Structures are given as structure tokens and as C-alpha cells.
Amino acid sequence: MMRKKQKLLVAKIGGNIIEDQVQLQQFLADFAQLKQPKILIHGGGKEATKLAAKLGIETTMIAGRRVTTAEELDIVVQIYAGLVNKSIVATLQKYGCDAIGMSGADANAISADKRPAKPIDYGYAGDIKSVNGTSINKLIEIGLVPVFCAVTHDNKGQLLNTNADTIAAELAVAMSPYFETSLFYCFELPGVLTDIHDNDSVIEHINLETYNALKKAETIRDGMLPKLQNCFEALHRNLKEVHIANAEFISNPNCKHTKLTLQ
């Protein structure tokens, strides 16, 4: 008889949660209390943009994605892998959660290729090539909670800036052979909305058919579109379910939010 897999939660927190210290502290306190195996992924783009502005470096965004010049890469690594990552890890330790800060280079966890310069040159942006689920699982087995920033490496000594939503999805998929894995995207809204100005308009369940209909009707667009695309790609690759919600979900999974499944 096959042994039932343990449940693993892969949670990703975005810029607006990181910016709001009250929300962030509450989220991390609740996250720390979860007894199940877990992984946290975070961004930090707004903090990186602030530091770049202080240093007189202009930030260029194309279609919501940062163009990572050599100068910007230094800032991204300092903020993502340094200030934001270590602050989150220190806070989790305060709440009794034995976390370990990670970039993709650590334990060769996430390797990536530098994105081709055509049709758009995003600079030192990385597209994920592989995730080392074996190494990450070993960390979880000894009781550690990996906290990943949005930095990967190319196995040739080069660090790369990589989309945190994509890292979360790829990590969740890579861990599915070891665990029954759920993915949770935490941001400031209570879920996917039919009306961006109405927090009560949460779409509580989206399957593949609904997703295609919403996309065709342009109910979902802009930044939500690539996020959902990531989600459904992950669901097609053995991920059980994806949740999109605000920070309340971590302590109250029954709160109103958006659940994504294939069926």
C-alpha cells in the first residue's frame, strides 16, 4: 500500500504585502504557526526601485517586467537576497519558525538561462531551466523552512533576476513528487475579481474552461493574466490546486478567495 504524501504549502508574497509592515508581520506570524511542511517565496521589486532611485539609477519596466541592467542586478541582489530575504527570515525566527534564506544559487536550488535579447532585451533576467527538488526536500526533511528570493543562477557564475510568481509555480511543481503540493499567491486583494473596484466580486472557483472564458471576455487582464497562466501551467504538471487570496487565507483557509483547479 502506497504511503499517503504529506501536504506541502508553497506560498508567495508580493510587493504590496512586503511594503505594509503590519500586514507582513501578521502574515509571517500566521505562516510560522503552520505545522505542515512549507516554503515561502517573496518579491521585493518596489524596494529595489526605491534604492535605484536613491542611487540615481532609472528603472525601466516593459509589460510589468523589470529591465535588469548590470547596475540594477546589483541592486536586485542586495535587496531581494539581502535586505528583504534576511528581514523575513529573522522575523520568522522570532516567531519560532526555523527558516533558511535561499537564492537559486544556494544548494544549486534553481538554475536559469539568461533570457534572449530578442524581441525585447530584459537584461539579466532569468528563465527557469531546472529546480533541484532533491536538495530542497533535504532541507525540509531536517525541519527547515526555505525562504526563496527572486534570484536564480545560470551554473556559470552569473546571478539572474527571475519572476517570483514563476519561481513559486516551478517550486510547487518540483516538490510534487515528494508532497501533495498546494500553491498560494498572497496579495492585497481577496482573490480574482470580476470588478477590480469591488472586493466582494471574488470569483471563488476557476477551472480551465472558466479561465478561457474569462480571458476571452477580458475579465482577467494585465498583471493577473500571466499569474493565472503560470497557475494553469503548474496545474497541468501534477500540482493539486492553487489559491489566490489576501493574507487572511494563511490563518483561515475557508475565507472567501479564488481556488484554481483543472476540473
Side-chain angles (χ1 to χ4, degrees):
M1 185 177 173
M2 277 187 68
R3 187 179 166 192
K4 191 176 179 183
K5 290 179 183 176
Q6 265 189 297
K7 291 185 177 180
L8 172 76
L9 179 68
V10 177
K12 186 264 174 177
I13 48 174
N16 288 320
I17 301 291
I18 291 167
E19 288 268 299
D20 185 328
Q21 281 303 309
V22 174
Q23 274 199 76
L24 180 61
Q25 289 286 324
Q26 186 60 59
F27 174 89
L28 294 175
D30 292 336
F31 181 81
Q33 295 307 307
L34 295 177
K35 301 304 179 191
Q36 70 188 92
K38 51 192 183 264
I39 297 173
L40 184 62
I41 302 96
H42 65 81
K46 291 187 177 181
E47 292 296 325
T49 301
K50 280 183 190 174
L51 180 57
K54 281 182 186 175
L55 297 174
I57 298 167
E58 187 178 348
T59 297
T60 302
M61 306 290 286
I62 300 174
R65 294 183 185 262
R66 181 183 302 271
V67 175
T68 310
T69 62
E71 282 182 314
E72 284 249 340
L73 182 65
D74 287 348
I75 291 167
V76 161
V77 173
Q78 288 174 55
I79 294 295
Y80 294 5
L83 181 63
V84 174
N85 187 265
K86 298 313 168 195
S87 297
I88 287 173
V89 168
T91 302
L92 287 172
Q93 299 292 0
K94 177 178 83 169
Y95 292 124
C97 175
D98 200 359
I100 180 167
M102 301 280 290
S103 73
D106 298 298
N108 192 26
I110 308 170
S111 61
D113 291 322
K114 186 173 181 287
R115 187 172 301 161
K118 294 180 180 179
I120 299 170
D121 187 357
Y122 281 100
Y124 290 93
D127 293 321
I128 294 174
K129 184 169 62 177
S130 65
V131 177
N132 190 340
T134 303
S135 290
I136 298 165
N137 187 47
K138 284 177 182 174
L139 295 173
I140 294 171
E141 281 182 337
I142 61 171
L144 296 174
V145 176
V147 178
F148 279 93
C149 66
V151 174
T152 58
H153 76 129
D154 69 353
N155 288 113
K156 299 170 189 172
Q158 178 64 57
L159 295 172
L160 296 165
N161 179 18
T162 301
N163 180 269
D165 284 349
T166 305
I167 287 178
E170 291 294 332
L171 276 168
V173 169
M175 299 314 295
S176 62
Y178 306 93
F179 297 94
E180 185 182 297
T181 309
S182 293
L183 175 58
F184 165 40
Y185 286 109
C186 173
F187 70 148
E188 68 278 7
L189 300 174
V192 180
L193 308 176
T194 56
D195 178 357
I196 194 66
H197 303 295
D198 180 6
N199 279 2
D200 290 328
S201 65
V202 176
I203 306 168
E204 294 191 38
H205 181 223
I206 299 176
N207 60 23
L208 191 56
E209 186 181 350
T210 315
Y211 166 63
N212 288 325
L214 290 167
K215 193 165 59 167
K216 190 175 180 181
E218 296 188 354
T219 304
I220 49 171
R221 56 188 186 276
D222 304 329
M224 188 55 72
L225 203 52
K227 191 186 291 286
L228 291 187
Q229 189 174 340
N230 269 340
C231 292
F232 278 100
E233 284 174 7
L235 287 167
H236 277 296
R237 293 160 62 202
N238 294 326
L239 196 60
K240 186 187 174 210
E241 57 193 28
V242 182
H243 305 271
I244 299 176
N246 60 19
E248 183 190 354
F249 177 82
I250 206 75
S251 59
N252 178 19
N254 295 318
C255 69
K256 186 178 275 195
H257 70 283
T258 301
K259 178 178 177 180
L260 278 65
T261 60
L262 286 178
Q263 300 293 316

